[in-house]
């Protein structure tokens, strides 16, 4: 039986109702949180650790969707039940998004929650035996100190992997995205979701980004010299824009590497675009003036309206993988994708679908006219020295990838 769970709901009445039902079903400890923020803040200290989370969707401040994202960012991967009074199509879309983020979603329950629907969801846990699996990496979560990351940057333990971005009509590679990797000698590989957030919190994001950038620029220059011209995408955190010297600094590094700004795409997450429409907008505009490409990363997760984004100096939007992955079998995702692509086209932005994992999703996005694709279906992120070999293999799959290709040989 379930030992411990957490109910997140802003309504005291609803929360206590759900908690009572859970206890009646035999759950020993029911933790309660009145908001996503509270849940995230207290999660580490909850004892015993919740084996399951019941999360409400509509909450003031951080809503249920954002709460789920935050749980992922913190690597709190716990089975979920999504509860909401909203229409079932919306609940299902959230359920799909949470699944894509790696959560085991036991059920999506329409409120008011009743005993039968809870019981049915609990039964899923027993069936799949997922009950107590809290993400294993979580154990080391608190052990990584800022000082460790600081030293890792100085000791050049941060290296970069590259993931291809390809033209969806032809399958031809246009560029790569640089993704930071940290392999800690004792702890092993640490995921960027964790150390990027740590760097952002601890004032280390500037040196970390420079470390990534100098490697990525050197790599691009090396490929250029061999006649392989690939655009290089680099992720920028919002916190970087606080430093007025950022633009000049990046330009200096570019000059040193002998590269043109037009070969570089800076990816900025949608939520940080919103936050930076104030202070960061000047920096973004300067980057654009100098000829850098500017991409809105994770589009669709930050609740930005296209109109607001259109005011920014962007050249590209990247549709978040939670909308892309599995779209061929989810009508709701397809509607979202089509409207985002449609608006992207009207704003004359390059549209990139990230997280394409299957041929079905590749074909779907291709038929929707998405300009570029990225994802495990094409290639996983890999060390720079593996890219030339991979390119050779990739050449041979172009026929299948092409929009008029049907996989058969002619
Ligand atoms: O493979 P992936 O796990 O690499 O990356 C996880 C997240 O970390 C992605 O959202 C990616 O944007 C982010 N990320 C990876 N490298 C960097 C980086 O150098 N800077 C910033 N700000 N984010 C990065
Ligand atoms: O910066 P951004 O969030 O766009 O970073 C891309 C992230 O997505 C990286 O963590 C990368 O490893 C990951 N990624 C790339 N392709 C796929 C994919 O096909 N499926 C999944 N689940 N993740 C992917
Ligand atoms: Mn990115």
């Amino acid at each position: 039986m379930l030992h411990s769970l957490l109910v997140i709901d802003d309504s005291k009445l609803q929360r206590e109702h759900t908690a009572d039902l859970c206890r009646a079903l035999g759950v020993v400890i029911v933790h309660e949180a009145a908001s996503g923020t509270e849940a995230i803040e207290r999660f580490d200290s909850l004892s015993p650790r919740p084996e399951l989370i019941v999360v409400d969707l509509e909450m003031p401040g951080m809503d249920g969707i954002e709460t789920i994202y935050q749980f992922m960012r913190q690597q709190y991967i716990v089975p979920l039940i999504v509860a909401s009074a909203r229409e079932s199509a919306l609940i299902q879309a959230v359920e799909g998004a949470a699944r894509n983020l790696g959560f085991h979603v036991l059920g999506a329950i329409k409120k008011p929650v009743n005993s039968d629907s809870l019981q049915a969801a609990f039964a899923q846990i027993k069936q799949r035996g997922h009950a107590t699996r809290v993400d294993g990496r979580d154990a080391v979560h608190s052990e990584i100190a800022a000082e460790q990351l600081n030293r890792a940057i100085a000791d050049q333990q941060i290296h970069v992997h590259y993931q291809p971005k390809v033209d969806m009509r032809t399958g031809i590679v246009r560029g790569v995205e640089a993704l930071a990797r940290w392999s800690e000698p004792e702890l092993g590989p640490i995921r960027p979701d964790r150390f990027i957030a740590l760097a952002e919190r601890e004032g280390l994001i500037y040196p970390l980004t420079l470390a990534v950038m100098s490697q990525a620029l050197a790599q691009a220059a090396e490929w250029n010299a061999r006649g392989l011209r690939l655009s290089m995408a680099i992720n920028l955190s919002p916190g970087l824009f606080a430093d007025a010297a950022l633009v000049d600094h990046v330009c200096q590094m570019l000059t040193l590497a002998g590269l043109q700004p037009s070969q570089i795409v800076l990816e900025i997450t949608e939520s940080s675009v919103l936050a930076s429409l104030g202070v960061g907008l000047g920096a973004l505009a300067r980057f654009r003036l100098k000829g850098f490409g500017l991409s809105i990363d994770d589009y669709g997760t930050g609740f930005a309206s296209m109109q607001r984004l259109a005011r920014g100096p962007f050249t590209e939007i990247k549709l978040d993988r939670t909308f892309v992955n599995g779209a061929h079998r989810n009508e709701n995702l397809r509607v979202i994708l089509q409207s985002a692509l449609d608006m992207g086209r009207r704003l004359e932005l390059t549209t990139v679908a990230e997280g394409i994992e299957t041929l079905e999703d590749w074909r779907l996005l291709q038929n929707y006219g998405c300009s570029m694709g990225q994802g495990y279906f094409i290639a996983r992120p890999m060390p720079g020295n593996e890219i030339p070999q991979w390119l050779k293999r990739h050449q041979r799959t172009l026929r299948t990838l092409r929009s008029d290709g049907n996989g058969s040989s002619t």
Side-chain angles (χ1 to χ4, degrees):
M1 193 55 227
L2 270 172
H3 192 61
S4 164
L5 62 70
L6 167 65
V7 180
I8 312 173
D9 196 320
D10 60 300
S11 151
K12 185 161 184 283
L13 200 67
Q14 302 260 14
R15 197 170 65 234
E16 287 177 350
H17 170 66
T18 306
D20 285 342
L21 289 175
C22 292
R23 284 188 205 98
L25 287 170
V27 180
V28 187
I29 310 276
V30 181
H31 302 288
E32 297 180 31
S35 68
T37 315
E38 186 194 329
I40 301 283
E41 279 172 8
R42 286 181 42 213
F43 195 82
D44 265 335
S45 62
L46 292 180
S47 174
R49 187 73 154 219
E51 295 158 34
L52 168 68
I53 295 174
V54 183
V55 61
D56 180 28
L57 281 191
E58 280 174 294
M59 296 185 282
M62 194 192 283
D63 63 35
I65 303 173
E66 206 181 338
T67 303
I68 294 172
Y69 273 107
Q70 291 301 332
F71 268 93
M72 183 202 63
R73 293 231 179 277
Q74 304 287 329
Q75 307 249 326
Y76 299 150
I77 309 292
V78 183
L80 293 177
I81 294 176
V82 177
S84 172
R86 290 296 296 272
E87 64 274 18
S88 53
L90 175 67
I91 306 180
Q92 270 172 29
V94 173
E95 184 185 5
R99 283 222 165 90
N100 285 338
L101 289 173
F103 287 95
H104 180 200
V105 184
L106 301 172
I109 299 182
K110 187 136 163 68
K111 288 215 279 195
V113 175
N114 65 42
S115 188
D116 288 347
S117 52
L118 273 180
Q119 204 165 13
F122 288 177
Q124 295 275 322
I125 274 202
K126 277 182 265 166
Q127 264 177 24
R128 306 200 200 171
H130 271 238
T132 54
R133 189 187 155 274
V134 171
D135 193 88
R137 286 170 292 241
D138 216 33
V140 290
H141 182 91
S142 51
E143 291 170 26
I144 305 174
E147 181 45 36
Q148 234 170 328
L149 178 57
N150 195 10
R151 245 181 300 125
I153 298 170
D155 294 350
Q156 306 186 337
Q157 279 172 22
I158 306 291
H159 52 273
V160 182
H161 281 191
Y162 301 88
Q163 187 178 36
K165 291 166 89 167
V166 308
D167 186 307
M168 289 205 80
R169 264 183 325 111
T170 60
I172 291 171
V173 180
R174 293 282 170 232
V176 294
E177 175 178 5
L179 294 158
R181 294 288 179 262
W182 179 14
S183 198
E184 213 281 339
E186 277 164 32
L187 299 174
I190 300 170
R191 297 188 39 174
D193 297 325
R194 270 169 64 199
F195 68 81
I196 299 289
L198 177 69
E200 285 171 344
R201 271 199 312 275
E202 301 289 342
L204 293 171
I205 193 66
Y206 205 97
L208 174 63
T209 306
L210 292 189
V212 170
M213 194 169 299
S214 66
Q215 290 176 55
L217 298 183
Q219 183 60 262
E222 189 207 308
W223 286 331
N224 281 355
R226 297 163 57 172
L228 177 61
R229 196 185 154 90
L230 296 174
S231 89
M232 179 63 74
I234 293 168
N235 292 284
L236 295 187
S237 293
L240 294 169
F241 295 103
D243 194 321
L246 175 73
V247 181
D248 293 329
H249 205 155
V250 171
C251 289
Q252 272 167 18
M253 292 178 72
L254 219 63
T255 309
L256 278 175
L259 298 173
Q260 303 294 323
S262 58
Q263 199 177 348
I264 309 298
V265 177
L266 303 172
E267 296 193 3
I268 297 126
T269 59
E270 184 190 3
S271 47
S272 67
V273 169
L274 288 184
S276 68
L277 279 180
V279 296
L281 193 56
L284 292 179
R286 287 189 63 209
F287 276 126
R288 185 67 204 116
L289 273 176
K290 291 181 183 293
F292 288 84
L294 289 182
S295 176
I296 301 167
D297 207 348
D298 305 339
Y299 178 75
T301 62
F303 309 98
S305 72
M306 256 295 167
Q307 285 94 323
R308 286 190 76 183
L309 295 179
R311 288 180 14 215
F314 300 100
T315 56
E316 176 181 292
I317 49 171
K318 287 185 82 172
L319 308 175
D320 192 69
R321 63 172 178 265
T322 52
F323 299 101
V324 170
N325 194 298
H328 71 278
R329 49 184 153 71
N330 185 325
E331 168 74 26
N332 297 318
L333 296 183
R334 289 199 293 273
V335 172
I336 297 172
L337 284 177
Q338 275 180 306
S339 67
L341 287 168
D342 185 46
M343 281 190 280
R345 260 190 304 270
R346 285 192 223 180
L347 293 168
E348 297 179 21
L349 300 172
T350 301
T351 48
V352 184
E354 64 169 32
I356 300 178
E357 293 189 9
T358 61
L359 177 63
E360 287 88 349
D361 286 335
W362 169 268
R363 284 280 179 251
L364 181 88
L365 270 302
Q366 191 169 51
N367 291 334
Y368 286 175
C370 185
S371 12
M372 299 224 281
Q374 179 179 353
Y376 297 164
F377 175 63
I378 300 297
R380 291 186 173 253
M382 66 190 100
N385 60 11
E386 291 177 13
I387 288 277
Q389 274 298 328
W390 174 83
L391 273 172
K392 278 189 197 142
R393 291 198 303 276
H394 179 70
Q395 274 319 100
R396 296 199 285 273
T397 68
L398 289 182
R399 187 196 296 278
T400 325
L401 296 179
R402 273 202 323 246
S403 47
D404 57 356
N406 53 17
S408 66
S409 49
T410 43

